[in-house]
Amino acid sequence: MGSYRDDPAALAHLVQPDRVHRDVYLDPELFQLEMERLWSRAWIYACHASQLPGEGDYVTVDVAGKPLIVLRQGDGSIRALVNRCAHKGTKLTAEAAGNTGKTLRCPYHAWTYRLDGSILNIPLREGYVGTRLGETEACRGLAAVPNLEAYRGFVFVRLAPQGPGFREYFGESLSSIDNLAERSPSGELEIAGGCLRYLHNCNWKMFVENLNDTMHPMIAHASSAGTAKKLWDEMLKGREGKPADAVKPMAIEQIAPFASDYKFFDDMGVRVFPHGHSFSGVNFSIHSSYAALGEYEALMRSVYGEVRARRILGTIRHNTVYYPSLTIKGAIQSIRVARPLAADRTLIESWTFRLKGAPDVLLERTLTYNRLINSPMSIVGHDDLQCYRAIQEGLAGDGNEWVSLHRDFDPAEAAELERRGELTCNGTSDISMRNQFRAWKELMSP
């Protein structure tokens, strides 16, 4: 491991077109540099607007190691402030969410702020007369995050004053958020079912890369999804009169596709966009064979019309990665959020949505999937975590300092992506990982 902060050439050398150096996962200095550069310059998912229904409602979140409070203003707008009192630096709230009323009050010395961050009251203010307090940052109140964008309820922030605009950064990849929102008959989503938080003892990039890695499911999930599939097949054989197309229990329907073969995942396809974004499931996905929900589908046709409803429900993507922090599953109405803590520790949050106006069975299916696949007790999730930790530990070994991203590599792919704005490939390609590291290199440059 070397010093990369003041050596741009060494930093750039870590990412090559078809491989990356192990230090990108291991080096604590690089992790800190990621927080200062990449995670500050990129647009990071903060929360969903449905978590802030009324004035004074707030959530707290750490972005790039900085504590933030995102809250609803009296005029209905949303602002993000640094969760740090301008006086002594105390966090204004340590709660994950709540309602602060019309003001924010420091629990240490009672400095009080309006919801926009401006100072409302300083106790015994006369004690500061004749001092330099009025010339300092303290009198400006709470620092505001310079860039915030709410897109169809998804709230993103960018800490750095300069950087790509929201639309420039996400581009056509926003179609996955569009599809998720349009699955609601009203076009609106709301967070429901709470949050499942799951500590991963690995680098955040391992989790993000794995989302569009389709070479691992049939191997890593053989003991979980493979076993579930075998059990169902045996049940069909053992019951007389049980047809081969019998309706699967919801749990089997959701877990068994993870054991699909290489051809299935290769034929799914993957599409990449500039700035590290991508989705797998261009043609179909592991969610494509879920049982039909006639009442819901009829409702969608009545709202959107036959053609548009068919297009919305026929878009069945697997994971869409909004690099570096968010992944969504429109077909199952769930998201996961990466919150990096250290070079080898990442908190993963799993959230689920209710489609406003849709039958309750949609939320039931979503909650079942989230608990079965994404929870800390998931047998599928632990398959992945075992692999992440094995990589984290294995990379310390000598003899090879590089991680291969060679599968289906095309030297022209970066230029082609820049020219076209998107690129579609076979599903088992490493292109999504190469695309992420191109974004990493861009965002990490001095």
Side-chain angles (χ1 to χ4, degrees):
M1 296 183 183
S3 178
Y4 297 107
R5 181 179 297 278
D6 301 316
D7 192 341
L11 182 66
H13 181 69
L14 294 172
V15 175
Q16 299 183 5
D18 54 7
R19 65 177 189 169
V20 296
H21 194 272
R22 65 181 179 182
D23 277 7
V24 301
Y25 306 100
L26 301 180
D27 192 335
E29 180 204 14
L30 270 178
F31 176 83
Q32 184 57 39
L33 208 55
E34 287 177 337
M35 297 302 103
E36 296 172 16
R37 295 181 182 177
L38 188 155
W39 282 78
S40 295
R41 296 168 176 173
W43 286 89
I44 306 300
Y45 176 76
C47 66
H48 192 266
S50 65
Q51 296 172 266
L52 312 170
E55 181 181 8
D57 286 330
Y58 71 86
V59 298
T60 59
V61 61
D62 283 4
V63 173
K66 309 294 189 240
L68 307 182
I69 179 168
V70 186
L71 69 167
R72 182 75 70 173
Q73 303 293 298
D75 63 1
S77 64
I78 297 172
R79 287 176 68 91
L81 305 171
V82 178
N83 188 8
R84 175 209 187 276
C85 181
H87 181 212
K88 298 285 189 180
T90 312
K91 271 188 173 183
L92 296 168
T93 178
E95 298 297 323
N99 182 282
T100 190
K102 294 184 178 296
T103 61
L104 290 158
R105 182 175 180 271
C106 177
Y108 193 15
H109 293 104
W111 281 38
T112 305
Y113 307 86
R114 300 176 183 88
L115 296 183
D116 65 1
S118 60
I119 293 176
L120 178 64
N121 182 60
I122 298 175
L124 300 179
R125 194 162 191 159
E126 63 273 14
Y128 296 99
V129 174
T131 74
R132 294 194 306 119
L133 177 70
E135 304 169 18
T136 68
E137 295 87 345
C139 268
R140 300 176 193 166
L142 304 177
V145 174
N147 301 283
L148 181 148
E149 185 82 20
Y151 182 80
R152 306 203 74 153
F154 289 79
V155 180
F156 293 84
V157 296
R158 194 191 73 210
L159 300 189
Q162 285 82 38
F166 180 82
R167 292 281 183 167
E168 176 191 353
Y169 186 70
F170 288 115
E172 290 303 313
S173 72
L174 290 171
S175 62
S176 288
I177 291 181
D178 292 335
N179 179 255
L180 172 53
E182 289 168 359
R183 285 175 173 270
S184 164
S186 68
E188 295 184 356
L189 308 166
E190 61 181 354
I191 291 283
C195 177
L196 299 175
R197 291 183 172 87
Y198 188 1
L199 185 63
H200 285 45
N201 51 355
C202 67
N203 189 275
W204 64 271
K205 293 183 287 297
M206 294 177 187
F207 168 79
V208 176
E209 290 170 42
N210 187 68
L211 293 164
N212 286 162
D213 179 326
T214 58
M215 286 294 291
H216 82 276
M218 68 295 296
I219 306 302
H221 301 308
S223 62
S224 53
T227 299
K229 187 174 185 297
K230 288 177 183 176
L231 286 172
W232 176 248
D233 290 342
E234 290 299 319
M235 187 181 297
L236 289 180
K237 292 177 184 177
R239 292 189 179 181
E240 290 186 13
K242 189 85 170 178
D245 60 350
V247 176
K248 296 183 179 71
M250 190 177 290
I252 296 294
E253 179 180 70
Q254 292 179 344
I255 195 172
F258 283 89
S260 299
D261 60 17
Y262 288 118
K263 185 179 187 307
F264 177 92
F265 283 105
D266 198 51
D267 290 347
M268 270 177 35
V270 62
R271 182 169 296 161
V272 298
F273 303 89
H275 308 300
H277 318 304
S278 61
F279 71 82
S280 54
V282 178
N283 303 309
F284 56 85
S285 77
I286 63 172
H287 309 298
S288 294
S289 297
Y290 286 2
L293 301 174
E295 178 188 354
Y296 167 63
E297 292 169 10
L299 178 60
M300 290 288 285
R301 288 193 295 271
S302 71
V303 171
Y304 290 108
E306 183 75 35
V307 174
R308 190 177 175 196
R310 187 185 309 116
R311 178 183 59 79
I312 293 169
L313 298 180
T315 301
I316 309 177
R317 296 170 182 174
H318 182 37
N319 289 317
T320 296
V321 174
Y322 289 108
Y323 189 78
S325 65
L326 175 67
T327 176
I328 77 170
K329 278 182 173 287
I332 201 67
Q333 299 93 58
S334 70
I335 64 172
R336 282 180 287 175
V337 187
R339 306 290 188 196
L341 303 176
D344 61 351
R345 283 192 302 130
T346 307
L347 182 66
I348 302 300
E349 298 177 346
S350 296
W351 299 86
T352 48
F353 289 97
R354 175 186 285 110
L355 301 176
K356 284 188 177 182
D360 290 342
V361 67
L362 271 296
L363 181 58
E364 177 190 352
R365 187 168 71 178
T366 297
L367 294 174
T368 298
Y369 183 91
N370 207 37
R371 283 155 176 74
L372 187 67
I373 308 300
N374 296 333
S375 81
M377 300 305 294
S378 164
I379 55 175
V380 176
H382 276 280
D383 291 338
D384 291 321
L385 185 55
Q386 166 99 11
C387 294
Y388 304 154
R389 190 58 199 172
I391 299 170
Q392 195 76 40
E393 294 176 355
L395 286 175
D398 294 329
N400 179 9
E401 297 184 352
W402 295 90
V403 174
S404 168
L405 302 177
H406 295 90
R407 184 167 177 77
D408 295 307
F409 173 64
D410 180 350
E413 69 188 27
E416 188 69 7
L417 174 60
E418 183 176 0
R419 184 180 70 83
R420 296 173 54 183
E422 64 179 50
L423 203 56
T424 302
C425 299
N426 57 301
T428 60
S429 171
D430 283 345
I431 191 171
S432 62
M433 300 162 218
R434 294 190 292 269
N435 191 46
Q436 289 169 22
F437 275 107
R438 282 193 291 269
W440 186 94
K441 191 171 185 178
E442 172 190 343
L443 291 164
M444 287 289 285
S445 62

